[in-house]
Amino acid sequence: MSNNDWEKIEIGLSPAVNWDETKSVSGKLTDVREAGPNNSKLYTLEQADGSSLAVWGNGVIDDKMAKVELSTEVKIDFEGWIDSKNGRKYRNFSVFTKKVD
């Protein structure tokens, strides 16, 4: 059987934010799922132009997004790198919400 006989199954992930290039994203939260090899949280935001954007969670984002309901307008700002107590660096984020009518 050749590869031409096989249909590739895609999971439909939206393009993910690259925080080295982007400092802020916003949109309506439309999906939260676990994905990737570490079952990390993946948040999907529908932007004003109708396109979707994925945001990979980390400890900071996951903690702040824990109580955010679907269909809520979300803004996530990258605040820079922080030194932790154990000497490791991590990305810090601010998360803002507002209800959509």
Side-chain angles (χ1 to χ4, degrees):
M1 185 177 271
S2 74
N3 278 341
N4 294 337
D5 297 332
W6 293 95
E7 180 180 346
K8 185 175 181 180
I9 304 299
E10 301 287 345
I11 59 173
L13 296 178
S14 301
V17 175
N18 178 344
W19 294 111
D20 292 328
E21 298 173 1
T22 304
K23 301 303 176 209
S24 183
V25 296
S26 62
K28 182 170 65 171
L29 182 64
T30 59
D31 187 42
V32 179
R33 68 173 75 179
E34 291 183 356
N38 299 319
N39 289 324
S40 299
K41 294 273 189 186
L42 186 67
Y43 304 92
T44 302
L45 303 179
E46 181 181 307
Q47 298 181 294
D49 65 3
S51 66
S52 291
L53 186 63
V55 176
W56 285 104
N58 69 1
V60 174
I61 291 175
D62 292 345
D63 285 349
K64 293 179 179 181
M65 293 288 288
K67 294 184 180 180
V68 177
E69 297 177 6
L70 291 178
S71 297
T72 299
E73 190 76 20
V74 177
K75 178 180 172 196
I76 302 172
D77 291 344
F78 173 52
E79 300 291 345
W81 290 90
I82 300 288
D83 291 320
S84 68
K85 293 177 186 175
N86 66 6
R88 299 178 75 181
K89 289 185 179 269
Y90 66 92
R91 291 176 194 236
N92 189 32
F93 296 90
S94 293
V95 176
F96 305 89
T97 63
K98 70 178 176 182
K99 292 285 186 186
V100 178
D101 295 328

